[in-house]
Amino acid sequence: MATKRITDEPAFVLHRYDWSETSLVLEVFTRQHGRIAVVAKGVKRPTSSFRPVLLPLQPLRVSYGGESEVRTLKAAEWVGGHVMPTGEALLAGYYLNELLLQLLAREDAHLRLFDIYAQVVQVLATGQEALLQAGLRAFELLLLREIGLLPRLDQQTLTLAPLQAETLYVLVPEAGLRIAQSDERQALSGLRWSQLEQALDDGAPLTETLRVCAELSQELKPQLRTLLHYHCGVSTLRTRQLMVELQSL
């Protein structure tokens, strides 16, 4: 049953679209209640107190009520802590948001994932290019693990055989982790996959996964891209296509 009133809930705005001439519907990622939709009434008016607050990639505390699928936003407060990412980091943040919109069911809470997302957004806000790609790969892995779409990375998925340290393996949508064929150039050694598994299981998973991904980002990127597209049911994500188009310019 839908909760009638939620107050001071940690949240991030993932997406917004028109509801009426003066109002917007927001897709919001909350810590305790997962992804929800709320209508922000009158937010388009110049005098609305919501206008400077309801921004993506900014930590908020929101209050909302109602029992319908689309709740009514009652209050929103900017928590602060970091500046808005810009440039490529901003596009990367929109990419994270698109993944959450595609892969998270409504009202399915993921407290640990919320905290990881908040940390990755902070990493993006630093503007350090060296951390950007590693941060994306780490979030992709942790997101897939959190929602049950990532197999264990220390064993072959179909046979459950342990990985051999020097043997090369690839991660593919329908077979999971398997021995690489000779023409699969993005393969990683069993040792590397096992290091990733240890990082994902760590008590501070983002810190450790970020560290390992910093060395493996190029090899992981195409494999995770294929896996994510498969589970999202798309040939390419909108934000990824936008990144490609901007880079071509």
Side-chain angles (χ1 to χ4, degrees), residues 13 16 24 26 40 43 49-56 60 62 73 76:
V13 173
R16 49 193 280 176
L24 293 171
L26 308 174
V43 69
S49 60
F50 285 152
R51 282 175 66 90
V53 175
L54 297 177
L55 301 174
L60 307 175
V62 300
L73 185 67

Side-chain angles (χ1 to χ4, degrees), residues 57 87-97 124 132 136 243:
L57 307 175
E88 189 175 353
L90 179 60
L91 287 175
Y94 287 148
Y95 167 69
L96 301 186
N97 289 355
L124 297 180
L132 191 149
L136 291 180
M243 288 181 193

Side-chain angles (χ1 to χ4, degrees), residues 157-199:
T157 304
L158 297 181
T159 66
L160 302 184
L163 303 188
Q164 301 300 310
E166 301 302 322
T167 302
L168 297 178
Y169 301 87
V170 291
L171 184 63
V172 295
E174 295 186 355
L177 200 61
R178 61 162 172 78
I179 294 176
Q181 299 174 6
S182 59
D183 60 344
E184 291 176 316
R185 299 181 179 179
Q186 306 299 331
L188 290 169
S189 70
L191 175 62
R192 287 302 206 180
W193 285 116
S194 296
Q195 288 173 340
L196 279 169
E197 180 62 37
Q198 291 174 9

Side-chain angles (χ1 to χ4, degrees), residues 52-117:
V53 175
L54 297 177
L55 301 174
L57 307 175
Q58 293 295 295
L60 307 175
R61 285 192 176 272
V62 300
S63 300
Y64 59 89
E67 296 186 356
S68 63
E69 182 178 357
V70 179
R71 316 297 173 79
T72 300
L73 185 67
K74 302 295 185 181
E77 178 185 1
W78 180 58
V79 176
H82 62 78
V83 299
M84 174 75 78
T86 59
E88 189 175 353
L90 179 60
L91 287 175
Y94 287 148
Y95 167 69
L96 301 186
N97 289 355
E98 186 175 3
L99 288 179
L100 293 176
L101 288 168
Q102 289 276 358
L103 293 173
L104 293 188
R106 284 261 178 87
E107 300 185 45
D108 185 11
H110 293 276
L111 278 69
R112 189 173 85 143
L113 182 61
F114 180 93
D115 294 341
I116 290 168
Y117 172 86

Side-chain angles (χ1 to χ4, degrees), residues 12 14 27-31 33-36 96-114 117 139 142-149 231-232:
F12 286 88
L14 299 178
E27 291 281 356
V28 179
F29 185 29
T30 70
R31 190 173 191 274
H33 304 279
R35 181 170 70 88
I36 63 166
L96 301 186
N97 289 355
E98 186 175 3
L99 288 179
L100 293 176
L101 288 168
Q102 289 276 358
L103 293 173
L104 293 188
R106 284 261 178 87
E107 300 185 45
D108 185 11
H110 293 276
L111 278 69
R112 189 173 85 143
L113 182 61
F114 180 93
Y117 172 86
F139 183 78
L142 288 160
L143 168 62
L144 288 166
R145 174 56 55 85
E146 177 67 21
I147 60 178
L149 297 178
H231 288 298
C232 290

